[in-house]
Each structure stands twice: as C-alpha cells, then as structure tokens.
Amino acid sequence: MAGFATHPDWDHVLWHPEYGDAPRYGTDRCAAHVREVRAAPDWKARVAEGLPPEIADETPLDLYGLLTGLPSGAAQIPWNGPRAQIIEHPAHAPGHAAVLIAERGVLVAGDMLSDVLVPNFDELNDTNDPLGEYLTGLRLLEDVASDVAVMVPGHGSVCGADEIRARIEQDRAYVLTVRAGRVPSDPRVGPTAKPGWEWTTDISVAHVQRLAERAG
C-alpha cells in the first residue's frame, strides 16, 4: 500500500491515522509546496480556516502534507503494486500529476476532466501562463487516453473510455474561451450546473476578470 497526492491542494494531502504508516508520495514540486505551508508557525490554523466548516472540527491535521517528494522526472510510484506511471504536468497547481495504471486501464486524473468542476487554473503571477499550462496538461492526458478504460477524476463521476476524450475536448474548449476573454457557456456552470456545484460559475467569472486585469 502507498499513498500519492496528485497535487498540493488541501483535500489531496490529508491523511488519517487509521490508514496506517504507508509511505505517501508526491512529485518533488508538490511535496516542496506543502513543506512550505507546514513551515509557517500557524500553519494548522491557516489550513483549518480553508476547510469546509462542516468537516473542520473532525479533520485531523497532524499528518497533513507529510509527503516524500519523488525525484524530478520520476516515471512511476515506488511500490509493490502494479506499475503506476506518473504523468506530471503544469496544469491547475504546482507539481500536479496524474497516475496511469496501464495494465488495469485506470487513469487517476487529479483535479482535471471533471463532469461537475470546470478547469481551475493556477494562481497568476508575473511570469506564468496558467491557461497555456492547462492546455499542456490536457495534451499530456490526451497522449495516454488510448490506454485508458476507466478515468477517475478528483471531483465528479468516473467515466469510461468512450467519454474521456469528450471531457478533454470540453475542458480544452473551456480554456480557449477563457483565453479569448469570455465567460464560457458550459453545462457545468450557470443554471445547468449540478446541484451543489453552482459556485463553479463564480470560478469562471473570476478567471476572466483576473486575466483581464493582468492584460490591462
């Protein structure tokens, strides 16, 4: 048994004592990002503030983000199970990676290819291109799509081989629309959003506003 954090968002680096002391891995960038979070004297309070209130009081944080960073360019997770290929890419968050278990036809996509959550880009800074990074991530996932029978996203429903390419194209269209400065017309936002996921519309509007502010 082993754990692997696809990226450093809080909901992907939690761990519960009942899971035992199995090794937990992430990409080098992912692990470094979480180490930086834990280095702050008040890191627990900061993390707790970002938790949904309905789970904040019952979520143990002592083991939060205790990851072993794999060497840059590591090709697979070092465990005794089936070969688990690491597909690191720059989309969404620092050190994001999907995991492909080719002999089982399973792709764990992290926070991408969701049927309920629109693409959520990395934070803007003075030099990065989060939309271009997202398109790169989609291309790398598309490169292995022919080996996938089942895709597991971080949020939303599992899909089969017949749907994975459609989800890639849907996300690519979304990114290109945002790049053009428009709020996308997408079934995951607005009145067609799945109940409980209506807030994804705010993500779309915020993306367009942030990019316009930087361009201005």
Side-chain angles (χ1 to χ4, degrees), residues 39-109:
D42 60 344
W43 73 267
K44 279 190 180 181
R46 292 186 183 185
V47 171
E49 287 177 359
L51 297 177
E54 63 270 20
I55 68 168
D57 292 339
E58 59 189 43
T59 302
L61 295 178
D62 288 344
L63 301 178
Y64 177 96
L66 293 179
L67 305 176
T68 297
L70 296 175
S72 179
Q76 63 187 76
I77 297 173
W79 72 320
N80 294 326
R83 184 178 189 275
Q85 178 186 349
I86 298 169
I87 304 170
E88 184 173 357
H89 58 74
H92 178 62
H96 201 173
V99 177
L100 174 66
I101 305 175
E103 68 179 73
R104 306 290 170 83
V106 174
L107 176 69
V108 179

Side-chain angles (χ1 to χ4, degrees), residues 9 11 38 50-51 55 58 61 67 74 76-77 100-101 116-117 121 147 158 173 205 209 211:
D9 287 355
D11 51 335
R38 289 182 58 100
L51 297 177
I55 68 168
E58 59 189 43
L61 295 178
L67 305 176
Q76 63 187 76
I77 297 173
L100 174 66
I101 305 175
V116 294
L117 181 61
F121 310 124
D147 296 324
V158 171
V205 173
Q209 290 177 340
L211 291 164

Side-chain angles (χ1 to χ4, degrees), residues 7-26:
H7 60 293
D9 287 355
W10 69 266
D11 51 335
H12 293 262
V13 296
L14 292 172
W15 194 258
H16 197 284
E18 292 183 2
Y19 296 158
D21 59 356
R24 301 166 59 197
Y25 301 106

Side-chain angles (χ1 to χ4, degrees), residues 54-209:
E54 63 270 20
I55 68 168
D57 292 339
E58 59 189 43
T59 302
L61 295 178
D62 288 344
L63 301 178
Y64 177 96
L66 293 179
L67 305 176
T68 297
L70 296 175
S72 179
Q76 63 187 76
I77 297 173
W79 72 320
N80 294 326
R83 184 178 189 275
Q85 178 186 349
I86 298 169
I87 304 170
E88 184 173 357
H89 58 74
H92 178 62
H96 201 173
V99 177
L100 174 66
I101 305 175
E103 68 179 73
R104 306 290 170 83
V106 174
L107 176 69
V108 179
D111 272 4
M112 299 181 71
L113 307 185
S114 172
D115 59 335
V116 294
L117 181 61
V118 294
N120 198 354
F121 310 124
D122 195 5
E123 291 296 322
L124 287 171
N125 59 44
D126 293 337
T127 60
N128 71 339
D129 176 15
L131 275 68
E133 292 168 350
Y134 211 97
L135 293 172
T136 296
L138 290 173
R139 177 180 56 77
L140 291 172
L141 296 183
E142 188 173 37
D143 287 346
V144 300
S146 60
D147 296 324
V148 177
V150 176
M151 188 278 296
V152 183
H155 304 278
S157 63
V158 171
C159 78
D162 56 339
E163 190 179 339
I164 184 171
R165 290 189 183 276
R167 291 198 188 185
I168 291 170
E169 289 304 321
Q170 183 181 41
D171 280 358
R172 183 178 285 124
Y174 179 97
V175 176
L176 293 175
T177 301
V178 172
R179 174 178 271 180
R182 303 192 305 271
V183 175
S185 174
D186 187 289
R188 295 167 291 185
V189 300
T192 55
K194 185 176 180 179
W197 292 87
E198 295 87 354
W199 52 271
T200 57
T201 302
D202 296 334
I203 291 177
S204 295
V205 173
H207 285 157
V208 174
Q209 290 177 340

